[in-house]
Amino acid sequence: MFYFLVQLSDQFHALNVLRYITFRSGGAVLTALAISFIFGPGIIAWLKSKQGDGQPIRTDGPEGHLVRKKGTPTMGGVLILLAVTISTLLWADLADPYVWIVLAMTVGFGLIGFFDDYTKLTRRSHHGLPARLKLLLEILLAGIGCIALAFIMRQPLANTLAVPFFKTVLVGLGWFFLPFGILVVTGAANAVNLTDGLDGLAIGPSLIAIGCFALIAYLVGNTNYSDYLQLHHVPRAGELAVFCGAMVGAGLGFLWFNAPPASVFMGDTGSLSIGAALGTISIITKHELVLAIIGGLFVLEAVSVIVQVASFKMTGRRVFRMAPLHHHFEQKGWEEPTIVIRFWIIASILAIAGLATLKLR
């Protein structure tokens, strides 16, 4: 589709705007949003007809979930993947290898999540794929993606880590780039997955983070802006802004159906794919450490689980009433919409802090 648009702009100079990444990013947003609105009701109805009682609810989770969320279908991430894939293929420059790598990682992790969700439904249990098998699949896929990036990225950016605020610093990682990249991608995927526990909770901060990385990708991919902001220029990374636009449109469309009370849950199909996309884009744009700030809410949710498990195993005591962190506040009596909105506010503040690393000279 991109090549058709370019050829069309050659014939009609008024359509030269089609060459601009910003215009195509906006087109990707609207296209993904339209796809979500058009196909969303049908997909949700189909999922509900196939799933019966909907997503199995954790028996050890908040008691209110057993009543409020019973019968709500899961695997809504299928809608996100459909909208993102079609919109990206329509608007992005498919000659850009970064687009294909990010799209492959997104769909690949989405498939892992799909099989995990499917296993939960067939077993009628909140336990899906065996944890070790699931993690192994994630590591293998993330490893393949990181190896591909190591070969594609130019020196001196390949196999290096950029440090926020230290504009000229690139820490050479050598072969350690592979385990580090795997950690970034799988960590981001599972952190978003842990955050997905309340209606609208995960998709809101995801949209904020993806929007931030759309800006970052556009800036580092443009020599003028990257030089002015003293960012490490990554040739062709700007095209990822189109992918991020598609993800934003798909996320907004999904939020329409996931807003309290949710008509559908994204499941691991959606949460793993969104997290993997964020992790991969952060590696390409050399903003892995900034992801930990912009996606700080996801980090907090993941850390709360780690602290809870470690504390219970070592001392027999729990730090939080329930983990992940959002369940702790549920147990304290906070209403679900209150938790969601306040977590969105925290995510927005952290996103602003992360973008502050893009300081001027």
Side-chain angles (χ1 to χ4, degrees):
M1 182 63 176
F2 171 77
Y3 297 105
F4 171 75
L5 295 176
V6 171
Q7 293 173 0
L8 195 63
S9 66
D10 289 337
Q11 299 176 12
F12 304 97
H13 295 297
L15 297 178
N16 275 335
V17 67
L18 297 175
R19 294 175 176 270
Y20 299 153
I21 290 177
T22 50
F23 181 84
R24 289 186 286 112
S25 297
V29 172
L30 296 177
T31 301
L33 188 61
I35 292 172
S36 300
F37 285 159
I38 293 171
F39 294 101
I43 290 176
I44 293 172
W46 180 78
L47 290 173
K48 197 165 187 176
S49 68
K50 295 296 182 180
Q51 296 181 17
D53 293 333
Q55 175 177 292
I57 308 300
R58 286 177 51 185
T59 55
D60 59 342
E63 294 181 3
H65 287 202
L66 296 173
V67 178
R68 296 196 307 269
K69 302 186 183 299
K70 184 178 180 180
T72 306
T74 187
M75 290 187 181
V78 170
L79 176 60
I80 297 176
L81 291 175
L82 176 68
V84 168
T85 302
I86 294 176
S87 184
T88 300
L89 294 177
L90 287 175
W91 290 101
D93 180 0
L94 301 183
D96 189 326
Y98 293 139
V99 171
W100 284 109
I101 290 175
V102 173
L103 189 59
M105 295 291 282
T106 303
V107 174
F109 270 76
L111 287 174
I112 294 174
F114 178 87
F115 286 116
D116 188 56
D117 289 334
Y118 182 78
T119 304
K120 292 175 184 176
L121 291 170
T122 54
R123 292 180 178 177
R124 298 310 308 163
S125 168
H126 66 274
H127 296 292
L129 293 174
R132 291 184 179 179
L133 174 61
K134 184 178 176 182
L135 183 59
L136 177 61
L137 292 173
E138 292 174 3
I139 291 174
L140 287 175
L141 183 56
I144 293 172
C146 290
I147 292 173
L149 290 177
F151 280 100
I152 291 173
M153 297 191 76
R154 300 178 182 177
Q155 294 294 346
L157 297 179
N159 303 336
T160 58
L161 173 67
V163 182
F165 294 112
F166 296 92
K167 298 297 187 176
T168 60
V169 175
L170 280 174
V171 180
L173 299 179
W175 284 103
F176 185 69
F177 171 79
L178 180 58
F180 174 74
I182 292 173
L183 176 64
V184 171
V185 176
T186 59
N190 286 283
V192 175
N193 185 33
L194 289 171
T195 307
D196 183 32
L198 301 177
D199 298 351
L201 179 58
I203 193 62
S206 295
L207 287 171
I208 294 169
I210 292 165
C212 290
F213 271 93
L215 175 62
I216 291 172
Y218 180 73
L219 293 176
V220 301
N222 186 297
T223 54
N224 294 326
Y225 292 127
S226 59
D227 288 345
Y228 182 69
L229 295 172
Q230 294 183 321
L231 300 173
H232 297 287
H233 174 56
V234 184
R236 308 198 72 170
E239 201 65 29
L240 293 178
V242 180
F243 173 87
C244 290
M247 185 68 82
V248 167
L252 288 172
F254 176 78
L255 180 58
W256 182 270
F257 303 106
N258 187 240
S263 301
V264 66
F265 301 138
M266 71 168 67
D268 286 22
T269 308
S271 58
L272 290 181
S273 59
I274 291 173
L278 281 170
T280 308
I281 293 172
S282 73
I283 293 174
I284 295 171
T285 57
K286 311 311 296 180
H287 279 71
E288 301 96 330
L289 298 181
V290 174
L291 174 61
I293 303 173
I294 292 176
L297 179 65
F298 303 132
V299 175
L300 289 174
E301 291 274 41
V303 169
S304 70
V305 174
I306 296 172
V307 170
Q308 185 84 327
V309 173
S311 175
F312 187 76
K313 286 187 175 182
M314 290 188 296
T315 68
R317 297 181 180 179
R318 292 181 173 86
V319 176
F320 305 101
R321 296 188 180 184
M322 186 176 292
L325 189 60
H326 56 268
H327 287 325
H328 169 77
F329 290 105
E330 273 193 291
Q331 296 297 83
K332 291 189 66 174
W334 288 22
E335 294 294 331
E336 184 170 328
T338 301
I339 299 172
V340 171
I341 297 300
R342 288 178 178 174
F343 274 40
W344 284 6
I345 294 172
I346 294 172
S348 300
I349 294 171
L350 292 171
I352 294 171
L355 290 178
T357 63
L358 309 177
K359 67 174 185 175
L360 300 177
R361 298 185 178 192

